[in-house]
Amino acid sequence: IACPCALGIATPAALMVGVGKGAESGILIRGGEILERAENLDTVVFDKTGTLTRGEPTVTDILPLHGFDEDVVLRFAAAVEFGSEHPLGEAIVRAARHRNLDLPAVSGFDAIPGHGIRGEVTGKKILLGNRRLFARESIATAPAEELLAALESAGKTAMLVGADGQLAGIVAVADTLKPEAQEAVNALKRIGVEVILLTGDNQRTANAIAAELGITRVIAEVLPSDKAKVIQDLQQQGKVVAMVGDGVNDAPALAAADIGIAIGSGSDVAKETGGIILVKNDVRDVVAGIKLSRATMRKIKQNLFWAFIYNSIGVPIAAFGLLNPIIAAAAMALSSLSVIVNSALLKREKLSEI
């Protein structure tokens, strides 16, 4: 009657079923310890581009300045972005091709994380990036500030284009939200999880996107190298944090978080770093993963209860010689069976109902 078999399988049985249930639902979980940590999550941090948005932006505005032509501004921007794997860069190149613009070769290309890019096109030194890049190059952006503010307030990402030390124009790109993003944010709030938007975008653009989703806390204009520090700061505040991202620049933050959740369509680096991978690219699966982890931990606690109860009742009775050995053997078999059956019931959990 004192045989602890049921205790030995109480945790692994539930974890095995939980991980299997996740895989069936398109949520790949790297081990049981991820499920155990996910149960206590109280904060989910979302990257913006490609995570909450479709990651398929389009050029919406081309605003030339200082006598430059609209096609010239787009041509310069597309030339330095040619070959880029960033969604914004791909959008600019697509727009240039749509206008049948020829894209000259770029030399001296240099990508500056969190600022933008620069290179030489047809003998001109071209810049494409944000205010920080132009401030770094001592190029005044004040003449474009009103236009930038209007574009950013509309939720667009506005990029400045410079040529030979002069501000040439603005290229604005907009990305649409994933249709399920709003539902995911609302569901996380309902289960008591704080939602934070973390992005390298301008504060106005980030605020516009967050307002549309009902996210109240926004951390914007963050350099890729600083995203991990933001996660660590949240952890130092006592929060258990999940980071949801898809890009190479999200990998350090995914690694720093208590749970890194990678979008299946994202970069290989992000998927390799994440503890959970969402195969279906559906951010609602973040909620499903948290629900699954909580359900799994409930099953583990129930299993431990059933495993202990047989021993707690049976051992004192056996100590007084009142327990038939055949009944004791049956009770121990039944305790193991109850743990297995209870764990198997986890497969009936409805993760899609958020």
Side-chain angles (χ1 to χ4, degrees):
I1 194 66
C3 179
C5 292
L7 284 175
I9 64 173
T11 297
L15 290 176
M16 183 181 67
V17 176
V19 170
K21 174 69 174 176
E24 286 177 5
S25 305
I27 306 169
L28 302 184
I29 302 164
R30 296 181 190 272
E33 72 281 359
I34 301 294
L35 275 177
E36 293 180 52
R37 269 185 266 158
E39 181 205 15
N40 299 313
L41 283 177
D42 55 24
T43 305
V44 173
V45 179
F46 282 102
D47 173 52
K48 183 179 77 68
T49 304
T51 303
L52 291 175
T53 64
R54 294 178 185 272
E56 299 173 358
T58 55
V59 173
T60 58
D61 303 87
I62 304 167
L63 306 175
L65 298 167
H66 298 132
F68 282 87
D69 180 76
E70 190 173 296
D71 283 350
V72 170
V73 171
L74 180 59
R75 184 167 171 261
F76 284 153
V80 291
E81 283 285 14
F82 187 75
S84 171
E85 294 183 356
H86 193 284
L88 301 183
E90 291 175 347
I92 292 171
V93 173
R94 279 198 307 271
R97 284 177 172 163
H98 183 72
R99 295 190 180 204
N100 296 317
L101 300 177
D102 66 297
L103 301 182
V106 59
S107 61
F109 178 85
D110 184 22
I112 306 165
H115 291 72
I117 56 178
R118 61 186 173 191
E120 192 167 311
V121 179
T122 62
K124 293 183 179 293
K125 294 179 180 179
I126 305 302
L127 297 175
L128 176 67
N130 55 25
R131 294 174 181 83
R132 287 195 295 262
L133 176 64
F134 279 68
R136 175 174 170 160
E137 299 292 330
S138 301
I139 300 175
T141 58
E145 197 56 49
E146 190 175 334
L147 293 171
L148 287 171
L151 292 167
E152 290 161 353
S153 297
K156 299 174 183 178
T157 300
M159 290 168 280
L160 296 161
V161 182
D164 282 343
Q166 186 177 19
L167 184 61
I170 303 170
V171 177
V173 176
D175 197 359
T176 55
L177 287 169
K178 290 180 178 177
E180 67 273 13
Q182 181 73 74
E183 193 176 348
V185 170
N186 291 342
L188 286 168
K189 289 180 177 179
R190 282 199 299 272
I191 63 174
V193 175
E194 182 184 7
V195 181
I196 298 174
L197 178 63
L198 174 65
T199 178
D201 265 356
N202 178 274
Q203 188 73 50
R204 286 196 195 94
T205 303
N207 286 343
I209 295 293
E212 196 171 341
L213 290 170
I215 298 175
T216 55
R217 187 168 180 185
V218 180
I219 305 174
E221 300 182 26
V222 180
L223 296 174
S225 57
D226 292 338
K227 285 187 175 182
K229 186 177 185 307
V230 171
I231 299 297
Q232 290 163 355
D233 289 344
L234 291 170
Q235 290 169 327
Q236 288 171 5
Q237 295 169 24
K239 298 180 183 294
V240 181
V241 184
M243 172 69 193
V244 189
D246 72 317
V248 173
N249 62 352
D250 297 322
L254 290 171
D258 295 286
I259 303 289
I261 303 176
I263 302 296
S265 62
S267 69
D268 290 340
V269 174
K271 287 185 283 188
E272 187 63 33
T273 309
I276 296 176
I277 301 172
L278 307 183
V279 176
K280 295 185 292 186
N281 309 319
D282 189 334
V283 288
R284 289 176 296 188
D285 285 343
V286 174
V287 190
I290 296 173
K291 283 184 63 178
L292 176 61
S293 67
R294 292 179 177 179
T296 302
M297 295 308 294
R298 279 199 305 272
K299 287 297 179 186
I300 289 174
K301 291 168 186 174
Q302 291 167 7
N303 287 349
L304 291 171
F305 169 80
W306 286 111
F308 272 116
I309 201 72
Y310 282 96
N311 292 101
S312 301
I313 295 173
V315 169
I317 296 174
F320 287 100
L322 303 176
L323 187 63
N324 187 302
I326 295 175
I327 296 174
M332 280 300 96
L334 190 60
S335 70
S336 296
L337 182 63
S338 66
V339 164
I340 293 170
V341 170
N342 190 48
S343 297
L345 290 175
L346 186 57
K347 295 187 71 130
R348 299 172 62 183
E349 188 77 19
K350 297 188 185 303
L351 301 181
S352 59
E353 296 178 2
I354 67 172

